[in-house]
Amino acid sequence: MPIWLYITSSLLIVLSIWYIFFYILSYKIAHLEGRIIQMLSSRTDILPALYEATKWSLTKHSEIFHESITLRKQEFSLLDISHSLESFMKLEQRIHHEINFIFQVCNKNPKLLKQKEFLYLRDVMMQKSLNISKEVKKYKKIIEIYNNFIKIKNYSIIWLVIPFSKKVVL
């Protein structure tokens, strides 16, 4: 067998392996993005229950929850259209700050600290936030690996054949 055939076949094998690797990483990234969005949405879904649980204990209840309700409406509109994880995370960061504010106000109220519903919702919210942070760390690690392989790909001849581009790290 001629040498050019060995070189061509080995090059095709290497390109196939790179392509499969990038495809699998892209799939994992897309899956994690969907999972993070779903987890953030489920955390935000607790806000109406928190609103109802604290309704009778806080004096300026509507003012405290006004911004979080407005942001939640924006979240619904982002879920309806195609969106990027980056824009969704910016909105969720604002929602997270509002949730922190709500809990700071609620934790100063002795009536609420005795109410089982509030304590349960607070624990659920904290657990969901912890799970989200774990998924975001995993996402960042995979993006870092992906971007490193993109750098390697761009310094070789493979960049001509495999059409993957760099991902933005959150």
Side-chain angles (χ1 to χ4, degrees):
M1 246 164 104
I3 190 123
W4 64 269
L5 193 57
Y6 286 123
I7 293 172
T8 307
S9 61
S10 62
L11 184 62
L12 284 175
I13 290 171
V14 168
L15 287 175
S16 299
I17 290 170
W18 272 87
Y19 185 79
I20 290 169
F21 179 75
F22 277 114
Y23 182 78
I24 290 170
L25 269 180
S26 296
Y27 177 78
K28 280 187 174 183
I29 290 169
H31 178 71
L32 271 174
E33 285 177 354
R35 185 172 161 90
I36 290 169
I37 289 172
Q38 184 267 330
M39 291 172 81
L40 288 167
S41 296
S42 72
R43 183 184 68 175
T44 308
D45 290 344
I46 297 174
L47 283 175
L50 188 62
Y51 180 88
E52 290 298 320
T54 59
K55 187 187 288 187
W56 307 110
S57 301
L58 298 175
T59 53
K60 296 186 177 187
H61 188 263
S62 297
E63 294 172 19
I64 293 170
F65 278 88
H66 176 72
E67 183 67 21
S68 62
I69 292 169
T70 305
L71 291 172
R72 189 161 191 262
K73 289 177 185 176
Q74 289 177 7
E75 180 190 49
F76 281 135
S77 66
L78 269 181
L79 288 173
D80 290 340
I81 59 174
S82 70
H83 57 278
S84 68
L85 181 64
E86 188 177 4
S87 63
F88 194 79
M89 288 296 285
K90 286 179 184 175
L91 177 63
E92 286 297 328
Q93 189 176 25
R94 290 176 53 203
I95 291 174
H96 182 73
H97 289 300
E98 286 300 315
I99 290 171
N100 284 342
F101 172 71
I102 290 169
F103 279 115
Q104 286 175 357
V105 171
C106 291
N107 285 333
K108 291 180 182 177
N109 189 320
K111 291 180 192 175
L112 281 175
L113 294 176
K114 294 176 185 173
Q115 189 180 13
K116 291 179 184 177
E117 293 86 7
F118 170 73
L119 295 174
Y120 173 75
L121 291 171
R122 184 182 67 182
D123 291 343
V124 168
M125 189 75 78
M126 289 171 64
Q127 185 62 42
K128 286 185 180 278
S129 295
L130 181 65
N131 292 341
I132 290 168
S133 70
K134 288 178 183 177
E135 289 296 312
V136 169
K137 284 179 185 176
K138 189 188 311 182
Y139 176 80
K140 287 180 179 181
K141 285 181 183 177
I142 290 177
I143 290 292
E144 185 179 330
I145 292 168
Y146 181 87
N147 286 339
N148 287 336
F149 276 101
I150 289 291
K151 286 179 190 175
I152 293 169
K153 176 189 80 87
N154 289 342
Y155 289 121
S156 66
I157 197 164
I158 298 172
W159 73 272
L160 294 171
V161 183
I162 301 177
F164 290 95
S165 60
K166 200 170 184 178
K167 299 273 185 184
V168 177
V169 179
L170 299 176

